[in-house]
Amino acid sequence: MKVLVIGTGAREHALCHSLSNDPDVTALHCAPGNAGIAEAAELHEVDPLDGAAVAALATELGAELVVVGPEAPLVAGVADAVREAGIPVFGPSGEAAQLEGSKAFAKEVMAAAGVPTARSYVCTTPQEVAEALDAFGAPYVVKDDGLAAGKGVVVTDDLEAAKAHANACERVVIEEFLDGPEVSLFAITDGVTVVPLQPAQDFKRALDGDEGPNTGGMGAYSPLPWADPKLVDEVMQTVLQPTVDEMRHRGTPFSGLLYAGLAITSRGVRVIEFNARFGDPETQVVLARLKTPLAGVLLAAADGTLDDLAPLRWSEDAAVTVVVASHNYPGTPRTGDPITGLDEVAAKDAPHAYVLHAGTKYDGDTVVSAGGRVLSVTATGADLTQARERAYAAVSRVRLDGSQHRTDIAAKAAAGE
């Protein structure tokens, strides 16, 4: 199978890493890719938001499966353009991707499907914002209705900060704060059948101890030793299947990756948000544990045959990802700094630990930083303790001036807390 992956980040590198190890994949392409993906796939220049250009590239390459990684191309309808060209594509239509593209739309679908979620108000004026914030009280949860690359949500006890964020957005969803730990659960679906993956937990705050501003994610781990063994079945029955059924009944079937961000509250599981694609950095740990070859699973979702797929096989090992971010992230990051030590990780830590590139590019022969989240260092081990040790050993070999990373990814879970 010839596969084309669309995107530039660590999620796409994780997908390419798994696909490159799949014996059924005979040729692997990525557009536009990054410095790390170049080692696993042949790179092509393309505007990921230009559906016609992506479809033309896929046709030219003779691609038999296109995997659209990021949310912005999905919401822009890139998957539709590829489908119209007659090529199987893993990723929802532009209309179905509104589950992520509009928080208000997602709330509407959840209400119709009876999916448990936080109570919320959709606001478009300062007066509506003030009334909604007053109704729920602190901590305030304010979400930009549209796509904001993982940075559209503010959770704060500061009323003025909440108002400032809300009033900077055209339309916001203000909702009640959900207590309890958060879990990410991905499911692959062809619009009818839903196949859940293993749950993961990510770390949104920039600093140790969940301090600092929200980010796109500073690390993740899987499995979750503290979670109820019945969690996946419960989320399948109360969240994932009802949502997929509701989307189909609306005439906008959702096929691809449905990501449920969940809060395990004192009143039960509640949906925080849906995403229409693999999440970053959870993908890095979930795919590290998947033993079933990936290409066939994604193709089955693309061509509507998931029901015929054998049950997924999973490693008993644990996986941990630590994100290495650039100076000043999540503010305006410094870019162009050389990255060294990558060869050392490959020589000393493989195959148990490896580096997935996010914001990198080549400057001549040198790999340099090209974004806020620069690398995802991923490791597996017999348990979370061993996976953490291996991940942080590999992180210690990577040198990037001014870089930052959290030192407590999976620490509590490994310690049984």
Side-chain angles (χ1 to χ4, degrees):
M1 194 192 310
K2 292 179 183 170
V3 184
L4 169 62
V5 177
I6 303 300
T8 61
R11 158 190 45 228
E12 287 75 34
H13 194 176
L15 288 163
C16 287
H17 184 266
S18 290
L19 290 166
S20 69
N21 291 324
D22 184 332
D24 289 337
V25 175
T26 51
L28 182 58
H29 302 271
C30 185
N34 63 37
I37 295 173
E39 293 172 24
E42 188 180 330
L43 301 193
H44 305 270
E45 272 306 313
V46 79
D47 177 355
L49 297 173
D50 185 338
V54 171
L57 174 64
T59 303
E60 183 192 323
L61 294 172
E64 292 153 289
L65 174 67
V66 175
V67 181
V68 183
E71 60 273 27
L74 290 169
V75 171
V78 167
D80 301 274
V82 177
R83 272 193 198 94
E84 281 161 22
I87 300 168
V89 59
F90 182 80
S93 66
E95 238 178 315
Q98 285 302 313
L99 266 183
E100 177 169 6
S102 167
K103 303 279 191 300
F105 174 75
K107 288 287 187 184
E108 195 186 299
V109 171
M110 282 188 264
V115 169
T117 186
R119 292 178 300 128
S120 62
Y121 295 104
V122 179
C123 306
T124 54
T125 68
Q127 185 182 346
E128 288 173 350
V129 165
E131 287 170 3
L133 292 171
D134 184 51
F136 288 132
Y140 305 104
V141 181
V142 184
K143 299 181 175 182
D144 190 334
D145 179 54
L147 291 181
K151 301 184 190 71
V153 180
V154 165
V155 181
T156 179
D157 289 321
D158 182 334
L159 180 59
E160 292 312 311
K163 282 181 180 171
H165 181 62
N167 294 329
C169 306
E170 277 183 39
R171 185 157 91 140
V172 291
V173 173
I174 292 173
E175 61 184 40
E176 67 177 327
F177 177 76
L178 296 174
D179 63 332
E182 293 184 14
V183 172
S184 300
L185 185 62
F186 301 163
I188 288 173
T189 177
D190 56 13
V192 179
T193 303
V194 182
V195 176
L197 305 186
Q198 290 288 313
Q201 185 171 55
D202 79 332
F203 293 74
K204 285 283 186 231
R205 300 284 185 172
L207 307 175
D208 283 8
D210 290 329
E211 299 288 330
N214 256 356
T215 70
M218 295 299 290
Y221 69 93
S222 178
L224 312 180
W226 49 268
D228 186 330
K230 299 191 202 75
L231 175 66
V232 174
D233 290 342
E234 182 190 341
V235 175
M236 271 290 290
Q237 289 167 15
T238 62
V239 175
L240 297 168
Q241 193 70 57
T243 300
V244 169
D245 291 346
E246 173 62 23
M247 290 296 284
R248 192 174 65 255
H249 295 152
R250 285 171 173 251
T252 51
F254 186 104
S255 78
L257 194 292
L258 180 60
Y259 161 124
L262 308 164
I264 314 299
T265 77
S266 50
R267 292 170 297 147
V269 174
R270 297 286 183 273
V271 175
I272 301 168
E273 64 175 356
F274 283 129
N275 289 340
R277 39 75 196 181
F278 279 104
D280 181 350
E282 301 98 319
T283 302
Q284 290 85 303
V285 291
V286 173
L287 292 186
R289 298 186 58 226
L290 179 65
K291 289 173 80 170
T292 302
L294 183 62
V297 181
L298 302 185
L299 184 63
D303 65 16
T305 58
L306 265 183
D307 203 27
D308 303 332
L309 200 70
L312 298 182
R313 292 178 297 113
W314 294 93
S315 165
E316 292 295 313
D317 283 358
V320 171
T321 281
V322 180
V323 171
V324 177
S326 54
H327 178 72
N328 200 42
Y329 179 76
T332 304
R334 193 173 81 203
T335 59
D337 287 316
I339 303 164
T340 58
L342 300 175
D343 293 345
E344 214 179 314
V345 175
K348 295 182 179 174
D349 301 296
H352 301 298
Y354 48 90
V355 178
L356 297 169
H357 291 233
T360 68
K361 66 176 185 181
Y362 273 108
D363 181 0
D365 292 334
T366 307
V367 178
V368 300
S369 60
R373 290 187 296 169
V374 181
L375 304 167
S376 284
V377 180
T378 303
T380 54
D383 54 23
L384 285 174
T385 301
Q386 187 178 45
R388 283 190 84 239
E389 285 167 0
R390 287 172 170 173
Y392 280 107
V395 168
S396 72
R397 302 190 210 283
V398 176
R399 289 173 288 285
L400 169 62
D401 188 45
S403 69
Q404 52 174 320
H405 64 270
R406 282 185 57 160
T407 66
D408 63 346
I409 303 300
K412 284 185 176 176
E417 292 175 31

